[in-house]
Structures are given as C-alpha cells and as structure tokens.
Amino acid sequence: MGNGANLDWENLGFLYRETNANYVSYWKDGAWDEGKLVEEKMLTISMASPALHYGQQCFEGLKAYRRKDGTIGLFRPDQNAKRMQDTCRRLLMPEVSEEKFIEAVKMVVKANEEFVPPYGSGATLYIRPFIIGVGDNIGVKPATEYIFCVFVTPVGPYFKGGMTPIKMVVTDYDRAAPHGTGAVKVGGNYAASLLPHEIAAKEGYSDCVYLDPKTHTKIEEVGAANFIGITKENVLVTPKSPSILPSITKYSLLYIAENIFGMKVEERDVYINNLDEFVEAGACGTAAVISPLGSLTVGDEKHVFYSETEVGPVVKKLYNHLIGIQYGEVEAPEGWIVEVK
Ligand code: PLP
Ligand code: COI
C-alpha cells in the first residue's frame, strides 16, 4: 500500500512501484472466471508451468493519463486488447475478449487513482496486462490453465531526459526470427534483447537498432520501439516487415501525419545504407512516446539525423499533437480516448 500523493512525480524514472490493487482472472476448463481485484502482488503457480519453461506467456503495455480537465483517459486500449488476442493466437493461448480486457484495465486504474500522476508532471500510469500459461506440464505443449493479470505503476520517461535526442547503435543480434514471434508481444523477444541492449548500454548508447533477421540490410526495431523517419520531401516513413511489433503509437502517428498535417506516409523497406534519405528520425512506442533519434552508429560510422542535441521540427510537431490528444488538450479522433470513471 502506498500514498500516491507523496511521490516525487517529476522524477519517477521507469521503475516498478507497488500500488493498491492488481487484477487476476483464471482460465480453466475452457473459460475465464469473472476476475477480481486483489491487494496481493505475488502469484503462486506450479513449478511445471509452461510459462516458466517454454515461454508460453505474453504481455501488453499501455498508459493512463491525467487529463487537463482532471479526468483520467486511456489511449486506444481496444488496440492493445486486439494485439493481445493476436499474440494469444500465435502462442495457442486462450484469448481475452476486448470487453474483459478494457474492464480489467479500468478496474485497476480506478482502484489506483491516487497513483495516476498529476497533469503537467510529465509522468503517467503505465499499465501492464499479461497472460501466463500455468499448471503441471512437462511436454512441449500448451498449458491447461492460464492466468490473466493487470498491474499498474506510475512512470516517468522511458529514456533518460525524455524528449531529448538519443544515441543508438546497430546490433548484429536479432530479437526475433524472420517468421518467428517478432510481430507479437511475447517475453521471448525481450529475453533475446537483453544481451544486445546490455552491450549497447555499456558502449554509451540508449539502446540498439535491430535489422531484419533475414538479410541484415533493413531497419526493423529501435530497442522496444518502432522506427520513424522524415524524408527531405516531408514523407513519414516507417519499416514494413512481418517481424516488427505493430506499434499502436506508430499507427497513431501515421494517422496524425496524414490527416492532421497532410503529410505523405509510407510503410516500406528502410535500408541501413540509405540513412541520408532522412532529415529527422525517432523511436516511437507507449513507453518511449517519441524519442528523437539523434544519431545511429553503424559499424565504425556514426550517422547524425537532425541533431544530437536538438529536436527536429517535424518530430516535435508530431509529438506535441500526440501528447495533446493523450492529455486531453487536442481533440482526439473518434474512439481513441476511453475515460476511466
Ligand atoms: N516495438 C517493440 C519491440 C515494443 O516492445 C513496443 C512497445 O510496446 C513497441 C514497438 C511500441 O508499440 P506500442 O506503440 O504499441 O507501445
Ligand atoms: C511499451 O512501450 O509498452 C513497451 O513494451 C516497452 C517495454 C518493454 C518497457
């Protein structure tokens, strides 16, 4: 238990903090139970659970925002629910309906209202839904029981400094296989990213950029975020590949670029030997929001995009519009904001 009001909202970092309540629902004999809020954050599961041995688990990440008018809004939770269903189908796990997913998220946020950071603090409430395959099992096969949980934790910016340019480096490692699980949100992709991240961090980079696992010639992911680049012709370009996680933030930015700013948008191959086509670049995602890419090091060469110290005008404009929608300062497209009452 904690008193949220006492937190140092401006300096939270991206860390776990215990809150008042979590949500759990159990799946057994072909159905989810109703699910409920619990104070307890510990789970008791069988040592033989497939989630522990064979990685049969998945997760999502979204945020709750304290809006200008004091209300609390979720940003496109239906999209997270749908992506979790896609992931469940890939791992032979039972799907959670969109309705149950959003209800669970709302319940946990409401119960932890005091942990939703104040408007203007730059912090948000990060929401982590996940499903694990549990029960006794030893063969490589799907679990017979599952647990769907949601917890929340107040967070500051994912990359230190927030909206300041970051330095990245291309890694030789892959986070996913060409026809593997790169397009879904499973823990295994993140386990595979720990070592390359550690190497990049030791060399002074914020994170590493992954190339396509088949040819290693095209940009795929920027750490735990998608890549966006702005060309000299003011086109917003983002990579297209079956092993990239479809970022909800990225698709929201494509929509904003096209419909609000009248920009051309393209989802296509982004070749690592053609970075000169971009005058600005960024990493986008729920945790990252949009972090401007200052530079990208490829082998011995460092490519600077707009600037290593300043944010480019197009990335800034997209960022301001996106957070404007999230914090209720700018009108949101139909259905993008779901209020927690
Ligand atoms: N790519 C990866 C590997 C991620 O982990 C995330 C975070 O969810 C993203 C991209 C961004 O996706 P979204 O904008 O839906 O958060
Ligand atoms: C998110 O942006 O929600 C992510 O998944 C990043 C995370 C792995 C911390």
Side-chain angles (χ1 to χ4, degrees):
M1 289 273 222
N3 180 0
N6 285 338
L7 293 180
D8 180 7
W9 302 112
E10 273 82 19
N11 299 295
L12 290 178
F14 198 84
L15 304 170
Y16 175 76
R17 280 183 181 76
E18 196 167 334
T19 61
N20 295 332
N22 308 296
Y23 172 94
V24 284
S25 176
Y26 291 85
W27 187 94
K28 209 177 166 179
D29 301 328
W32 290 106
D33 70 9
E34 212 178 314
K36 61 172 194 274
L37 289 178
V38 294
E39 274 184 28
E40 185 56 68
K41 70 172 174 185
M42 307 300 271
L43 291 170
T44 303
I45 59 171
S46 167
M47 284 187 185
S49 292
L52 301 178
H53 302 266
Y54 307 128
Q56 201 194 18
Q57 61 79 243
C58 66
F59 70 98
E60 270 302 325
L62 66 160
K63 285 174 172 174
Y65 304 81
R66 176 77 65 185
R67 291 145 57 81
K68 202 173 182 180
D69 63 4
T71 59
I72 299 171
L74 303 170
F75 183 70
R76 311 192 73 181
D78 57 316
Q79 298 298 307
N80 295 92
K82 287 193 178 92
R83 191 169 63 190
M84 191 171 232
Q85 292 175 341
D86 292 342
T87 307
C88 285
R89 283 194 290 275
R90 179 65 179 80
L91 294 198
L92 292 184
M93 300 170 80
E95 292 171 35
V96 168
S97 71
E98 196 176 309
E99 197 187 359
K100 183 179 176 75
F101 180 98
I102 295 176
E103 193 50 40
V105 166
K106 280 184 174 172
M107 277 166 76
V108 186
V109 172
K110 186 73 195 159
N112 291 300
E113 211 172 333
E114 66 185 293
F115 290 98
V116 183
Y119 172 77
S121 65
T124 50
L125 189 74
Y126 187 74
I127 305 162
R128 173 53 59 84
F130 66 97
I131 304 175
I132 51 176
V134 298
D136 297 337
N137 182 69
I138 196 63
V140 182
K141 59 180 190 232
T144 50
E145 295 171 26
Y146 295 86
I147 312 178
F148 168 47
C149 305
V150 182
F151 69 81
V152 297
T153 192
V155 296
Y158 186 62
F159 292 114
K160 230 168 112 201
M163 188 56 176
T164 51
I166 49 174
K167 292 194 300 179
M168 294 265 188
V169 62
V170 167
T171 177
D172 290 334
Y173 286 99
D174 298 321
R175 59 181 279 282
H179 301 285
T181 53
V184 291
K185 213 161 165 62
V186 304
N189 298 340
Y190 299 82
S193 76
L194 294 175
L195 176 63
H197 172 84
E198 167 107 336
I199 294 169
K202 274 196 180 135
E203 290 171 357
Y205 300 100
S206 295
D207 208 337
C208 54
V209 166
Y210 295 92
L211 301 181
D212 70 291
K214 206 167 189 170
T215 69
H216 274 213
T217 57
K218 298 172 271 186
I219 292 185
E220 290 248 307
E221 295 263 18
V222 190
N226 277 185
F227 175 88
I228 55 165
I230 315 295
T231 69
K232 298 180 184 91
E233 296 77 29
N234 199 35
V235 178
L236 173 46
V237 180
T238 187
K240 191 170 177 62
S241 154
S243 44
I244 292 177
L245 187 79
S247 158
I248 295 158
T249 314
K250 196 255 300 283
Y251 286 109
S252 305
L253 290 173
L254 295 188
Y255 179 91
I256 291 167
E258 202 168 17
N259 294 282
I260 306 293
F261 298 121
M263 292 170 68
K264 235 181 111 192
V265 301
E266 287 176 3
E267 260 190 292
R268 58 149 164 94
D269 290 337
V270 173
Y271 287 94
I272 194 66
N273 66 3
N274 193 26
L275 295 178
D276 282 340
E277 67 172 321
F278 300 115
V279 287
E280 292 182 47
C284 65
T286 297
V289 194
I290 311 181
S291 291
L293 260 183
S295 68
L296 178 55
T297 298
V298 191
D300 297 334
E301 280 186 35
K302 180 166 86 171
H303 180 91
V304 175
F305 291 99
Y306 183 75
S307 151
E308 283 194 285
T309 51
E310 276 169 47
V311 185
V314 181
V315 163
K316 192 181 242 163
K317 181 167 87 172
L318 290 168
Y319 173 88
N320 284 340
H321 198 87
L322 176 69
I323 67 162
I325 289 172
Q326 292 168 333
Y327 287 110
E329 298 154 346
V330 171
E331 196 187 339
E334 180 78 27
W336 278 23
I337 302 294
V338 173
E339 198 180 327
V340 177
K341 289 190 201 137

